């Protein structure tokens, strides 16, 4: 079974969804996870500006509601063992981070790189548009230093990122994290682990039912 996960490193819900999906997949060896690119802000600057909490405040246009929203996201993250520092993380352009994930996929290290990127950005407040940061996180995840350097000095995997984004549009995906199980219509990946496990079980049964 192939499970495609559309995500953006900038999205705290994607970190929560990754944890919940991992819990749903526990004990299963019949699922191949593919991480797909989705940019929440394709025109974002590589230079950090407002914090994620401040960005939420600009959307809410209400200080109390914005604070409640931030606290809610942080509480859900904490329930999954995550420290989401929305007052420290500063949204930037995530395109090169997505290219790094695609490079990692060629070595079976995509999950490890996604984890390092999410933790680096949401917990440590690191600038995931900075080539030096991306290089450090990639190497921490097990990638070869020279390969990461070559990636960041060129345009490799640009086509793969764009292809993912076109596919997301075709599938009607407008937000992340989104889950596509064996090509079925996308669903939210922020569901509770039990709900995600149920979706996977139903997909498994549908592929094993005898044809009449």
């Amino acid at each position: 079974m192939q499970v495609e996960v559309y995500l953006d490193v900038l999205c705290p819900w994607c970190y929560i969804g990754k944890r919940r999906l991992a819990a749903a997949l526990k004990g299963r060896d019949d699922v191949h996870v593919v991480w797909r690119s989705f940019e929440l802000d394709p025109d974002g600057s590589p230079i950090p500006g407002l914090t994620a909490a401040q960005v939420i405040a600009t959307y809410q246009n209400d200080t109390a509601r914005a604070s409640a929203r931030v606290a809610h996201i942080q509480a859900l993250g904490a329930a999954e063992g995550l420290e989401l520092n929305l007052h420290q993380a500063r949204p930037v352009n995530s395109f090169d981070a997505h290219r790094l994930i695609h490079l990692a996929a060629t070595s079976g290290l995509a999950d490890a790189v996604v984890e390092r990127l999410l933790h680096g950005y949401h917990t440590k407040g690191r600038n995931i548009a900075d080539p030096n940061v991306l290089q450090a996180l990639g190497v921490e995840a097990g990638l070869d230093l020279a390969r990461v350097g070559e990636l960041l000095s060129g345009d490799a995997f640009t086509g793969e990122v764009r292809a993912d984004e076109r596919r997301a549009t075709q599938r009607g995906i407008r937000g992340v994290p989104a889950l596509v199980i064996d090509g079925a219509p996308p669903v939210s990946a922020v569901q509770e682990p039990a709900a995600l496990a149920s979706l996977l079980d139903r997909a498994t049964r549908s592929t094993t039912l005898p044809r009449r």
Side-chain angles (χ1 to χ4, degrees):
M1 180 190 305
Q2 177 169 281
V3 172
E4 299 167 81
V5 185
Y6 287 83
L7 87 160
D8 193 359
V9 178
L10 305 182
C11 172
W13 297 103
C14 289
Y15 206 178
I16 294 169
K18 185 176 187 297
R19 280 292 183 275
R20 292 181 173 179
L21 179 61
L25 292 173
K26 191 173 182 179
R28 301 188 65 127
D29 59 4
D30 61 336
V31 176
H32 173 57
V33 176
V34 178
W35 299 99
R36 297 292 190 194
S37 305
F38 188 101
E39 293 177 274
L40 289 172
D41 186 10
D43 299 319
S45 170
I47 302 171
L50 298 176
T51 67
Q54 290 171 328
V55 171
I56 290 174
T58 63
Y59 290 152
Q60 294 288 345
N61 201 28
D62 182 307
T63 302
R65 287 181 61 189
S67 296
R69 179 70 169 170
V70 169
H72 176 62
I73 294 171
Q74 289 178 318
L76 289 177
E80 303 298 333
L82 303 174
E83 182 181 348
L84 302 177
N85 292 319
L86 277 70
H87 295 283
Q88 184 177 351
R90 296 176 183 273
V92 287
N93 189 285
S94 61
F95 185 74
D96 282 343
H98 285 295
R99 293 201 299 126
L100 184 66
I101 294 170
H102 275 280
L103 170 65
T106 65
S107 303
L109 292 170
D111 186 87
V113 166
V114 169
E115 183 66 29
R116 292 303 194 288
L117 288 168
L118 290 170
H119 182 265
Y121 175 75
H122 292 286
T123 302
K124 299 296 185 181
R126 303 186 74 176
N127 177 7
I128 52 89
D130 184 333
N132 292 324
V133 171
L134 290 174
Q135 184 166 315
L137 294 175
V139 172
E140 285 177 18
L143 291 177
D144 177 73
L145 176 63
R147 290 195 70 195
V148 177
E150 183 179 355
L151 170 86
L152 296 173
S153 63
D155 61 359
F157 297 101
T158 292
E160 286 80 352
V161 174
R162 296 306 184 207
D164 280 355
E165 293 174 335
R166 286 194 299 272
R167 194 178 294 110
T169 300
Q170 294 165 357
R171 286 172 161 167
I173 296 173
R174 295 183 176 84
V176 288
L179 206 67
V180 175
I181 303 174
D182 271 348
V187 296
S188 171
V190 188
Q191 300 179 62
E192 294 290 339
L196 293 173
S198 179
L199 288 172
L200 295 170
D201 288 341
R202 286 202 297 272
T204 300
R205 288 195 296 271
S206 69
T207 59
T208 56
L209 288 174
R211 295 184 178 180
R212 296 180 179 275

